[in-house]
């Protein structure tokens, strides 16, 4: 309906921009180019977190509508697009990969979740995908890395059986998870 809609996007000008339904644009300064897709997380009553990875090795989180910086999480490489899920013990968490070869899971204050980060051994490209792959009622995190290894971890950081798998080509996009053949089991693409 166009009411209270907003568009959030990264730029090459070291800002995250927010355009609201009145066409007013707000700029949130960051230290590098934003070439990842921002996510929006419901945070407190009437408040949201806008979270995006940057080419300056940081994950940024800003509060909306106050536009205050909430946290900056520093990694050792460019940060890819984050994903979000509800952890059974820690509530809403943010999961993201970095060119430093690590997969991170942090809470909405930017603090590491116990058992994380995980060293994957090569740059991580794309967003992690989340689903309960093994049917144990825990969220599972699927992600590939640039040397052809594909990992699936449960939300506590344990590697699922039969992973990682290795192919001869790098994984450079986000995995897809769905029950393609209708047998009740999820397939990873």
């Amino acid at each position: 309906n166009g009411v209270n809609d907003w568009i959030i996007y990264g730029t090459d000008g070291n800002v995250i921009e927010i355009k609201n339904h009145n066409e007013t644009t707000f700029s949130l300064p960051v230290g590098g180019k934003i070439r990842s897709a921002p996510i929006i997380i419901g945070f407190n009553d009437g408040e949201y977190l806008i979270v995006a990875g940057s080419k300056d090795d940081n994950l940024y989180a800003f509060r909306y509508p106050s536009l205050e910086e909430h946290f900056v999480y520093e990694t050792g490489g460019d940060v890819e697009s984050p994903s979000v899920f509800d952890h059974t013990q820690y509530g809403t968490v943010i999961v993201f990969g970095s060119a430093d070869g690590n997969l991170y899971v942090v809470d909405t204050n930017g603090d590491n979740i116990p058992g994380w980060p995980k060293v994957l051994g090569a740059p991580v490209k794309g967003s992690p995908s989340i689903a309960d792959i093994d049917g144990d009622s825990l969220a599972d995190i699927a992600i590939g890395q640039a040397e052809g290894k594909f990992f699936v971890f449960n939300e506590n950081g344990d590697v699922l059986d039969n992973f990682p798998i290795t192919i001869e080509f790098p994984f450079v996009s986000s995995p897809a998870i769905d029950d393609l053949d209708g047998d009740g089991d999820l397939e990873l693409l």
Side-chain angles (χ1 to χ4, degrees):
N1 64 5
V3 177
N4 295 326
D5 292 336
W6 12 306
I7 300 171
I8 301 172
Y9 52 94
T11 71
D12 284 343
N14 298 353
V15 297
I16 299 171
E17 293 193 344
I18 304 169
K19 186 174 285 193
N20 69 13
H21 61 281
N22 293 326
E23 297 295 315
T24 303
T25 301
F26 303 96
S27 295
L28 306 172
V30 296
K33 297 175 182 178
I34 301 291
R35 297 233 175 111
S36 69
I39 59 171
I40 303 166
I41 302 169
F43 189 52
N44 294 325
D45 290 336
E47 193 172 35
Y48 298 89
L49 281 184
I50 298 168
V51 182
S54 176
K55 296 298 178 188
D56 71 347
D57 304 349
N58 292 311
L59 180 77
Y60 289 90
F62 291 90
R63 290 176 179 245
Y64 184 87
S66 71
L67 305 179
E68 296 173 359
E69 185 179 276
H70 186 62
F71 71 81
V72 177
Y73 188 100
E74 185 176 351
T75 73
D78 294 347
V79 176
E80 295 296 320
S81 299
S83 297
V84 64
F85 69 93
D86 286 325
H87 191 288
T88 55
Q89 186 175 357
Y90 298 102
T92 302
V93 296
I94 303 159
V95 57
F96 60 98
S98 172
D100 66 4
N102 292 318
L103 182 65
Y104 299 88
V105 179
V106 300
D107 65 17
T108 54
N109 291 313
D111 298 319
N112 285 324
I113 296 300
W116 299 93
K118 293 297 181 187
V119 177
L120 304 188
V124 176
K125 299 290 182 186
S127 298
S129 294
I130 314 297
D132 181 8
I133 294 169
D134 59 2
D136 66 354
S137 299
L138 295 177
D140 298 315
I141 302 161
I143 191 70
Q145 48 93 302
E147 290 181 354
K149 288 187 179 178
F150 188 81
F151 294 84
V152 179
F153 297 93
N154 71 18
E155 64 185 30
N156 297 316
D158 301 318
V159 178
L160 267 59
D161 290 342
N162 303 313
F163 290 95
I165 59 172
T166 303
I167 63 169
E168 60 183 281
F169 301 103
F171 288 96
V172 293
S173 64
S174 302
I177 304 170
D178 199 0
D179 181 6
L180 297 176
D181 55 9
D183 67 353
D185 293 329
L186 295 174
E187 281 76 46
L188 297 165
L189 304 174

